[in-house]
Amino acid sequence: NAGVTQTPKFQVLKTGQSMTLQCAQDMNHEYMSWYRQDPGMGLRLIHYSVGAGITDQGEVPNGYNVSRSTTEDFPLRLLSAAPSQTSVYFCASSSSSTPGNTIYFGEGSWLTVV
Amino acid sequence: RKEVEQDPGPFNVPEGATVAFNCTYSNSASQSFFWYRQDCRKEPKLLMSVYSSGNEDGRFTAQLNRASQYISLLIRDSKLSDSATYLCVVTNYGQNFVFGPGTRLSVLP
């Protein structure tokens, strides 16, 4: 019963390095999204996708890229890491056909940029 | 103004107390409403959906007032295990979930 799986759970990057956070869901949800969560700021939407091949920007997209080649996968790429990107990242998926129309989260990825 | 606002907290209450959380949203076109619970260093998980008629799930009662754009969550007979951050969530269109900043609850023995 995997649900939403994201990796890695913890990562330390140096300023300027790039990396990809992986996200996969096995619920056949059409909608996937990436959030970051900072103390006192709540969850802020970075990018989202309404289906394979379709992505769009959220509230805080700068410094991040996404792609959606399959329904299952939605990786988040940090192009050139900055200390301001130190945060907890959550991948999520949802579907309008899900009972209650709820959103499901991965366990989070703790990223520190030094 | 933030799209979804919540009581800033934290709320520190003794076991057995009743505690209420408030949430307001700015978009009158918001369609669906939820309360999520987030434990420390964990992902948010659905606590309950909120319906216009109000709904109850055990010790938890949620209310929605569309005219005032206001959502509430009442927890009765608080348990130590209720200690968490409670997130108010609305959807505005499609699958666009907007999260409030959360209200932290600590239930004390």
Side-chain angles (χ1 to χ4, degrees):
Chain A
N1 197 18
V4 180
T5 304
Q6 60 178 106
T7 57
K9 194 168 179 70
F10 300 100
Q11 183 73 49
V12 178
L13 285 178
K14 294 183 179 178
T15 298
Q17 285 185 316
S18 62
M19 76 158 297
T20 299
L21 298 176
Q22 302 291 345
C23 177
Q25 53 93 7
D26 61 359
M27 298 174 281
N28 202 33
H29 285 171
E30 71 273 21
Y31 192 89
M32 296 186 74
S33 49
W34 277 102
Y35 293 85
R36 61 177 288 174
Q37 187 174 35
D38 302 293
M41 299 291 290
L43 285 149
R44 292 184 292 169
L45 183 64
I46 304 171
H47 285 284
Y48 66 97
S49 169
V50 299
I54 306 169
T55 64
D56 207 346
Q57 296 181 351
E59 181 185 354
V60 287
N62 292 341
Y64 308 94
N65 270 357
V66 292
S67 59
R68 185 97 179 267
S69 56
T70 67
T71 300
E72 294 78 21
D73 300 299
F74 190 46
L76 177 72
R77 281 182 287 278
L78 280 72
L79 308 173
S80 177
S84 60
Q85 293 179 304
T86 294
S87 189
V88 182
Y89 292 84
F90 289 100
C91 180
S93 75
S94 63
S95 171
S96 57
S97 60
T98 303
N101 191 32
T102 55
I103 186 169
Y104 296 87
F105 288 91
E107 292 185 339
S109 296
W110 273 254
L111 176 66
T112 301
V113 183
V114 298
Chain B
R1 182 187 170 193
K2 290 182 181 177
E3 200 164 346
V4 178
E5 298 195 58
Q6 297 185 237
D7 291 331
F11 284 51
N12 299 313
V13 303
E15 271 188 290
T18 295
V19 60
F21 301 135
N22 300 312
C23 169
T24 58
Y25 59 96
S26 60
N27 190 337
S28 59
S30 295
Q31 299 170 342
S32 301
F33 309 89
F34 309 91
W35 283 102
Y36 274 70
R37 170 194 169 126
Q38 186 174 23
D39 293 298
C40 187
R41 300 181 71 79
K42 296 287 188 180
E43 73 275 23
K45 292 184 178 178
L46 177 68
L47 177 66
M48 59 196 303
S49 301
V50 187
Y51 304 112
S52 296
S53 54
N55 48 299
E56 187 173 308
D57 183 2
R59 297 181 293 108
F60 299 84
T61 301
Q63 296 279 351
L64 167 65
N65 185 322
R66 284 187 183 268
S68 302
Q69 296 179 202
Y70 168 85
I71 306 162
S72 66
L73 176 68
L74 184 76
I75 305 176
R76 293 181 299 278
D77 189 22
S78 299
K79 312 291 186 191
L80 294 176
S81 58
D82 294 333
S83 297
T85 296
Y86 291 83
L87 305 172
C88 178
V89 185
V90 306
T91 63
N92 292 335
Y93 56 88
Q95 298 295 303
N96 181 24
F97 288 79
V98 182
F99 289 81
T103 301
R104 188 156 58 90
L105 171 66
S106 292
V107 181
L108 308 173

